Amino acid sequence: MFPKPKADLSMEFCGVNFETPFILAAAPPTDDIEMVRDAFKLGWAGAVLKTTSVEAAKVDLVNPMMSGMDSGSERLVGMGNIDLVSEHRISEVEKRIVTLKAEFPDKRVIASISGQDKASWQELARRTAAAGAELIECSFSCPQGSMGLKPGAMLGQDAAASAEVAGWIREAAGKTPIIIKLTPQVADIAEIALAVKGAGADAVCVGNTVPALMGIDLDQGVPIPNIAGSSTYSGLSGPAIKPISLRCVAEVARRARMPIAASGGAVSWRDALEFVLLGASVVEFCTAVMHYGFDIVTDLREGMAFHLDRLGVASLRELAGRSLANLVEHDALLRGKKWRPCIDEDICVRCGLCMIACRDGAHRAITLDSERRPKVDDDKCTGCALCSTICPAMCIEMKEAQS
């Protein structure tokens, strides 16, 4: 048997302690109290309950609401969702917060709210805070009302409007920390983060789904999801958007310097650790749970803890933001060094993909010998790394050329 890992995975976020950074995002897995109970029993550190609204708000969901983005034989590298808000209104969510906090005092119960005007935003903030939510996440990144902007625009796409609404919520929430959930669908996400920080927000959630068109049914000519011959844009989540989310987290961490909950694309403990290294305190999971189930939290916890043990790191907090120092502008990157692909012939499967990629996409520096072993022409190779990127056996490593 493996020894029990020793690393401390606890993190602090807005003055609240989380036993691990792994929490559930506001989404279908947190829209049912029994599901949240199961998640907490299995080891999730917290849950953002699915976004709620005041009783008077119109909630009219459409099905089928979910669609998938596949890549080759791999299913669901991205999920499309046209679901916007919970059917459970604030009166029901209040009860759930009280119940969950009583049953799971060591778990973090976070409310998610969506208002249409000042009165509804403030009512939601007051009621969730009074019910005992330890933090309040505010959805500025779904088209839940223009708040004076052009129709269809997200609140989080306008810095001034975001600051104004964040100020309303801060006023109503009392001492309960508020988290503003931002959209990556902006030119400068750090500008929005700075705006809500100035208005009193304690933290931001970076980011959310990316507006996307999930595809076209080629037999019927109707976009996906096909709802009686019509469709609309979906919110794309899952592994496909992780690089976008990583950039957004890094930008906010570097420039806004405020607590961050990362959301968007995390599937494994490795993904979560990347977000922590860029400055996130907690990482929200959604698509991975909907695909593989709540049980993944065991692998998340054990995988990260064993990795920290291997590195000799006692606490995850030591790694928070460590990678930010390695991010520089393009002009500051080191030039002049030569890099070359080093091919491990013992694990090379001789598929020839590196040669094809180099021949038709790079510098024609790789050829195959009579036994289909790849050979690199040093005079032609520039060290672009395309070959190592596409190699299915991962047998190509880029190394600095020896002079």
Side-chain angles (χ1 to χ4, degrees), residues 213-217 222-225:
L213 184 59
M214 294 303 295
I216 306 289
D217 182 325
V222 178
I224 298 169

Side-chain angles (χ1 to χ4, degrees), residues 269-343:
W269 66 264
R270 293 178 179 274
D271 297 331
L273 184 53
E274 290 182 58
F275 283 114
V276 171
L277 285 164
L278 289 174
S281 299
V282 293
V283 182
E284 299 184 5
F285 284 73
C286 169
T287 304
V289 169
M290 296 174 74
H291 194 177
Y292 301 110
F294 290 127
D295 304 62
I296 64 169
V297 72
T298 300
D299 290 335
L300 298 178
R301 294 169 64 116
E302 292 182 356
M304 184 176 284
F306 277 119
H307 181 71
L308 297 191
D309 285 354
R310 185 176 66 82
L311 294 179
V313 175
S315 170
L316 180 60
R317 300 185 194 201
E318 297 176 34
L319 299 182
R322 181 175 290 187
S323 294
L324 290 172
N326 302 104
L327 269 177
V328 298
E329 299 302 324
H330 190 277
D331 290 344
L333 292 172
L334 181 66
R335 272 116 171 129
K337 288 188 177 292
K338 293 183 178 180
W339 301 88
R340 294 293 180 266
C342 180
I343 303 171

Side-chain angles (χ1 to χ4, degrees), residues 207-275:
N208 203 339
T209 57
V210 177
L213 184 59
M214 294 303 295
I216 306 289
D217 182 325
L218 297 183
D219 292 326
Q220 301 184 51
V222 178
I224 298 169
N226 183 341
I227 304 166
S230 298
S231 190
T232 190
Y233 300 121
S234 295
L236 178 64
S237 64
I241 71 167
K242 190 187 81 169
I244 297 171
S245 302
L246 286 171
R247 176 191 173 274
C248 289
V249 168
E251 282 297 286
V252 171
R254 292 168 73 191
R255 294 171 51 199
R257 300 182 183 276
M258 61 191 301
I260 297 171
S263 180
V267 172
S268 68
W269 66 264
R270 293 178 179 274
D271 297 331
L273 184 53
E274 290 182 58
F275 283 114

Side-chain angles (χ1 to χ4, degrees), residues 129-162:
E134 286 149 301
L135 303 107
I136 302 172
E137 186 175 277
C138 311
S139 180
F140 281 24
S141 47
C142 285
Q144 72 275 2
S146 63
M147 302 298 297
L149 306 178
K150 60 184 179 181
M154 301 179 207
L155 172 59
Q157 290 177 314
D158 184 281
S162 294

